[in-house]
Amino acid sequence: MTHNANFQRLPEEAALTEQRAKMVDRQLWQRGIRDQRVLDVMSRIPRHLFLPRELWSLAYCDQPLPIGEGQTISQPYIVARMSEALCLTGAEKTLEIGTGSGYQTAILAELSSQVFTIEGLPSLAQNAKRRLTELGCRNIKFYIGDGTIGRPEESPFDRIIATGSVPLLPPSLCRQMVEGGIMVIPVGERFIQKLLRVSCAGKSVTQQVLCQCSFVPLVGKEGWHDTR
Ligand code: SAH
């Protein structure tokens, strides 16, 4: 049994590894992602393991994919763009809003020192926690709840990333950043937003628009109040 299972898996795993290398070259490097740590980590992390089995063949395609409960795992380029914009050196305490499949969480865990991740839907949170524990990630704390109000008990954070959209920048998240901190967050309308990089220096907050994007909504006190 075990031998058969292994025999069947090996060629598929090899093909997925090859597809992952092509994804990094064509979708990330050729489109301008230059942070070597981001490129390395996305070459290593098996994105297919964060998807239902029947979607493995699409895992390295240039698109978002469904992860259940009406939610999606972001397109690889967007994951890379957001990770690069955070300028992670390995020393940061990072807050993620919207754990989802846990793929972005795994990348943050490799690139920061500690990750706090909040997911609104218990089933997604539990699956992500199981997956990341099996993969050996040890520096992640998982929470179920409304991430739009952040996690004041654990604040301040060096970096904050939201992988769902908000209509306006949530004041709670701004308050929970260290001086010199960076937040990457999609802000705008229900179906189209601007991906913002927000930097805090003293009392001044600088906003840079990275690109247009379309994320699922963050539903919560300082996010959207319904999903329509
Ligand atoms: N980064 C994820 C993609 C997440 S999609 C990945 O790599 O798979 C956005 C996620 O935000 C969804 O899982 C959704 O359930 C969650 N979400 C929505 N509103 C939320 C809230 N207020 N707080 C925390 N998570 C929320």
Side-chain angles (χ1 to χ4, degrees):
M1 277 292 272
T2 313
H3 276 113
N4 280 339
N6 282 339
F7 270 123
Q8 281 165 8
R9 273 187 69 176
L10 277 173
E12 189 180 21
E13 292 281 335
L16 290 165
T17 303
E18 202 181 310
Q19 287 169 24
R20 186 159 65 246
K22 279 195 184 133
M23 176 271 278
V24 171
D25 178 39
R26 295 183 188 163
Q27 298 172 39
L28 309 188
W29 172 260
Q30 290 188 30
R31 285 193 198 141
I33 302 295
R34 288 293 176 270
D35 183 330
Q36 197 54 48
R37 297 183 76 231
V38 171
L39 294 166
D40 287 346
V41 78
M42 289 186 70
S43 306
R44 278 190 289 114
I45 295 184
R47 179 174 160 95
H48 60 280
L49 296 184
F50 294 81
L51 287 164
R53 184 73 180 74
E54 60 275 17
L55 291 181
W56 279 18
S57 61
L58 297 177
Y60 300 100
C61 293
D62 191 14
Q63 63 187 75
L65 290 166
I67 54 169
E69 308 262 7
Q71 307 304 322
T72 53
I73 183 171
S74 305
Q75 176 196 11
Y77 173 74
I78 288 289
V79 173
R81 191 79 201 272
M82 293 176 92
S83 305
E84 183 171 69
L86 287 172
C87 299
L88 293 162
T89 66
E92 294 79 11
K93 181 176 159 187
T94 301
L95 174 68
E96 179 192 35
I97 326 290
T99 316
S101 68
Y103 177 63
Q104 175 78 71
T105 323
I107 292 168
L108 298 172
E110 287 290 301
L111 300 179
S112 356
S113 107
Q114 219 188 348
V115 179
F116 298 81
T117 186
I118 312 175
E119 169 57 49
L121 299 173
S123 63
L124 291 181
Q126 282 149 12
N127 282 339
K129 183 173 184 181
R130 182 184 35 78
R131 217 172 259 141
L132 290 164
T133 308
E134 276 168 18
L135 285 172
C137 301
R138 307 252 175 275
N139 55 342
I140 307 170
K141 285 203 174 135
F142 296 86
Y143 300 96
I144 297 171
D146 177 10
T148 65
I149 55 168
R151 186 85 200 154
E153 308 88 318
E154 313 283 358
S155 68
F157 301 98
D158 301 304
R159 302 289 186 265
I160 299 181
I161 173 172
T163 62
S165 73
V166 287
L168 297 165
L169 216 46
S172 295
L173 297 184
C174 296
R175 275 196 300 274
Q176 291 172 36
M177 276 211 284
V178 298
E179 212 185 303
I182 300 174
M183 168 157 57
V184 177
I185 183 166
V187 182
E189 294 166 23
R190 175 61 190 82
F191 293 103
I192 186 119
Q193 306 94 31
K194 290 188 165 80
L195 186 60
L196 298 187
R197 182 180 189 274
V198 181
S199 326
C200 288
K203 285 208 164 58
S204 77
V205 175
T206 325
Q207 289 185 20
Q208 177 194 356
V209 178
L210 298 177
C211 58
Q212 292 251 353
C213 55
S214 182
F215 277 80
V216 294
L218 289 183
V219 181
K221 194 163 174 237
E222 296 184 31
W224 300 93
H225 297 141
D226 64 47
T227 51
R228 279 168 294 148

